[in-house]
Amino acid sequence: AGLGSLSDWLQRKQTNLKELDLFECGINDDGLQAFAEGVANNCEELRLSINDSITATGLSHLSRVLLSARCRLQRLSLNGMDFGDDGAKALGVGLAGNQSLRCLHFDNADTNLTVRGWSAFSTVLCDTSSINNTYLSNHYVGELYDDYEDDDDIIDESRVLVYSRLNEQHPQYAAKCKILMSHPHLDMKTFLRCDLKFLPLAIAWFERAKPCTTLTIRESDEAFQSRELTAMYEFVRERSTDVLERREALISEAWKDQITMAKEETKRLAKDKESLLKDYNRLRENIEQRGEKIAQLEEENRRLAGLLSR
């Protein structure tokens, strides 16, 4: 009842709570369900460490709150809790749709996670089933657990570390790097429904993703360019009909432009000819007028010469 009242009070007051420390408070699944929504939507940091009565069932209640767009929780501490693979899977459901949480702390030694649990976290941070699912993965959680030990036998554990550090240190490149890491061959079939206007967008994406060659994938410029050209070639090859149609359309448009330009030039020349003809006629009239004037002056000169000779 007390935890439910706390949740109601937080939601009613819309409190901007920075931190709530419930360390070793004997909270169980029902208690977590009672106050999860109020705390997650009105608190930035929640510490639930050493509440070992909380199981995967309780974490599933918290996970549903993490999916809410109203969730403000940024840091969650679950140290000293053995939530196991089922708890990791339950948390993964909430993390998959959460954009606020940055840190999820728990003791690696206490959780008793196996490959199944680490795989759940790994899939949340980078779902490799398709390019689109990789893009929609969680690129926000930068700290996922404490006391990391590099165990080569648990591959997904190492991947979790790589993905979470990528989220933390290079958030602007996280999605691009994960796509390049998980999909050496970028299958362009997903984008075949797009027309050729997609091509410059794809080229621009590769340009923005180029820093990933030094961050995670450790790929030479030549190898990266080869991957880009291969992807572009496959897209154009599959859309070859569109390419030919577009080529014919461009040629047709070019001819139309040439014809239009030729017509405009003909009109301009016709106007120039008309203008030149008017200038010619005007000059000829001027010359004729001057000829008449000269003839009059010559006639006048002869008349004056005749008078003087008398």
Side-chain angles (χ1 to χ4, degrees):
L3 292 174
S5 298
L6 172 63
S7 178
D8 293 339
W9 180 80
L10 288 172
Q11 295 185 75
R12 185 171 61 253
K13 296 295 184 179
Q14 295 184 343
T15 307
N16 185 21
L17 194 63
K18 293 295 183 182
E19 176 185 332
L20 180 60
D21 191 347
L22 298 175
F23 178 89
E24 201 172 2
C25 288
I27 299 172
N28 57 20
D29 292 342
D30 292 336
L32 183 55
Q33 180 181 13
F35 79 91
E37 182 176 0
V39 172
N41 292 343
N42 296 279
C43 181
E44 294 182 5
E45 181 173 359
L46 174 62
R47 297 179 183 178
L48 290 174
S49 302
I50 318 296
N51 286 286
D52 49 16
S53 294
I54 295 177
T55 68
T57 301
L59 293 179
S60 66
H61 299 315
L62 180 61
S63 184
R64 282 194 290 271
V65 178
L66 293 176
L67 287 170
S68 172
R70 296 174 54 204
C71 181
R72 294 180 55 247
L73 201 60
Q74 298 181 21
R75 302 177 67 89
L76 175 62
S77 297
L78 302 175
N79 299 85
M81 297 171 60
D82 179 13
F83 51 75
D85 292 340
D86 290 337
K89 187 176 180 180
L91 287 170
V93 173
L95 292 176
N98 180 275
Q99 297 184 8
S100 66
L101 198 69
R102 297 296 183 268
C103 303
L104 172 59
H105 287 173
F106 55 86
D107 291 328
N108 191 23
D110 295 331
T111 57
N112 292 316
L113 294 183
T114 67
V115 173
R116 189 167 66 91
W118 287 115
S119 179
F121 282 132
S122 178
T123 301
V124 167
L125 296 178
C126 185
D127 186 345
T128 62
S129 60
S130 70
I131 294 177
N132 191 54
N133 287 340
T134 302
Y135 175 75
L136 295 175
S137 299
N138 186 299
H139 308 303
Y140 304 96
V141 176
E143 298 178 30
L144 195 57
Y145 57 94
D146 295 328
D147 300 332
Y148 172 79
E149 296 178 2
D150 192 1
D151 190 345
D152 292 335
D153 294 331
I154 305 180
I155 298 175
D156 286 307
E157 183 178 356
S158 300
R159 288 174 178 166
V160 166
L161 178 67
V162 172
Y163 298 149
S164 59
R165 285 182 176 174
L166 187 59
N167 289 354
E168 180 183 21
Q169 298 174 8
H170 308 287
Q172 70 274 37
Y173 295 112
K176 299 179 183 67
C177 289
K178 291 175 188 178
I179 289 174
L180 293 173
M181 291 166 60
S182 307
H183 306 277
H185 174 74
L186 295 181
D187 188 357
M188 303 302 287
K189 292 180 180 179
T190 305
F191 307 102
L192 291 180
R193 63 179 181 274
C194 306
D195 59 21
L196 291 177
K197 293 179 181 178
F198 167 78
L199 202 57
L201 298 178
I203 294 173
W205 185 90
F206 273 100
E207 187 65 27
R208 293 193 300 271
K210 194 171 184 180
C212 293
T213 58
T214 59
L215 296 177
T216 53
I217 59 176
R218 305 298 178 186
E219 193 170 80
S220 67
D221 291 342
E222 292 77 11
F224 182 79
Q225 185 178 32
S226 176
R227 196 200 296 219
E228 177 184 3
L229 292 175
T230 299
M232 297 305 101
Y233 167 75
E234 290 184 355
F235 178 79
V236 173
R237 182 187 61 188
E238 295 295 331
R239 300 303 299 265
S240 57
T241 302
D242 291 344
V243 173
L244 293 175
E245 290 177 354
R246 181 59 178 162
R247 178 177 177 271
E248 293 176 357
L250 289 173
I251 293 175
S252 177
E253 290 176 5
W255 276 110
K256 288 180 180 179
D257 290 342
Q258 291 291 333
I259 293 173
T260 300
M261 291 173 60
K263 288 181 178 179
E264 292 295 329
E265 183 66 11
T266 301
K267 291 180 180 178
R268 186 186 66 80
L269 292 174
K271 290 181 179 179
D272 291 344
K273 179 181 178 181
E274 184 179 354
S275 177
L276 288 173
L277 184 60
K278 288 180 179 179
D279 291 341
Y280 169 76
N281 291 332
R282 185 169 57 254
L283 288 173
R284 188 176 66 180
E285 290 176 359
N286 289 338
I287 291 172
E288 290 176 352
Q289 290 175 0
R290 290 181 180 181
E292 293 176 355
K293 189 68 174 179
I294 291 172
Q296 292 176 1
L297 290 174
E298 289 177 348
E299 182 65 25
E300 182 66 16
N301 286 335
R302 286 194 292 270
R303 186 181 67 79
L304 292 174
L307 293 174
L308 290 175
S309 62
R310 291 179 181 177

